[in-house]
Amino acid sequence: RREAPSLPGRREPLGASYVRGHAIPPQLLETGFGKPGEVKATVSQTKELFALPDERTPAQHAAYVKSHGSYAPGEQIRRNYSWKTREGAIENPWEYGWGGQSEKPELNQVSKALSGEGYGSTEGGASNPQMRAYIEQRRHALGKPRALGHDNTASSIEVFGKSSSTEPQWGTRECMGNYTAEQQAPDADLGRSIRPGWRNVSDDPERSFGLPMVRTDKPMPHVRGVADYQNYGDEPGARAVLNPPSYSELGVEPADFATPLPLPALVNIFARAGLAEAAAVEQAFREAGGGELGLSVIELRRALGV
């Protein structure tokens, strides 16, 4: 049972069509599907109108060819000339091989045509000097200037025309950093205005105009607004990103521990942290001199000694 073929294997036998389990009637296996067609009489009539049957004899066809020059499709044109050679008359000119065999056949003609080798050469051509000069003037070798009688054969110019590139192109060396000292120098308008009428004249040549991104020259407000995106120098640097302080994953910064808080907030924080009870926090708050501004978490921890 385990070695028996599976259901997909039985339905898709190798080298056969898909088995769907349909039982085809025996009469369909003999005659096939569909109904036999019927050729109507108009079909043969239309065919005879476009392609008339040729009932002519060979003599009639030859006379029709002679009078009208109408050959059958694919028929060879034969003018029935009487060809004669030194050996005698030729009975079937269409089976005779014309021409003679050369003692020195030309070889590699296709290769010479593609490479230009020997093109325009007058060797082995006409023996008449005038004819040789005419051939030399009319024909020219591939890739060489044409002889126009200007006596420029002694010129050292090998390539004629104008180069497509008129200036040095941007290549790999320029991408790798092949710059001159002038190209490596900073721009003339870097840090200063060079537009006429818009220049800020200063006695200090090293002065750069504009505002710094970190405004350490302005005092940070006591309460920062939501729309205040200015950096007053209190933003953390790369050190805080590489080595974040404790409780930073909870959104608590070190400055929050030094921020004064009222007594109810301190009681809630220390009670949830499990550091002290509410009565102990209130007593330490009064002893540390907590007033309307309150105390910070660091000051209250020092007062409690925790």
Side-chain angles (χ1 to χ4, degrees), residues 149-214:
H150 297 166
D151 194 17
N152 57 353
T153 56
S155 177
S156 59
I157 301 177
E158 298 181 356
V159 180
F160 295 88
K162 186 178 180 181
S163 177
S164 59
S165 59
T166 58
E167 58 184 11
Q169 300 294 327
W170 184 270
T172 308
R173 290 185 176 180
E174 287 72 15
C175 295
M176 297 294 293
N178 187 19
Y179 305 104
T180 61
E182 298 178 356
Q183 295 175 346
Q184 297 178 12
D187 296 339
D189 58 346
L190 182 62
R192 58 180 58 88
S193 177
I194 61 175
R195 182 179 176 182
W198 298 81
R199 300 173 182 173
N200 298 321
V201 182
S202 176
D203 297 335
D204 188 2
E206 299 181 356
R207 178 183 175 183
S208 298
F209 296 89
L211 295 176
M213 297 180 61
V214 180

Side-chain angles (χ1 to χ4, degrees), residues 5 104 107 165 172 228 268:
K104 295 181 179 180
L107 303 177
S165 59
T172 308
D228 189 3
N268 187 15

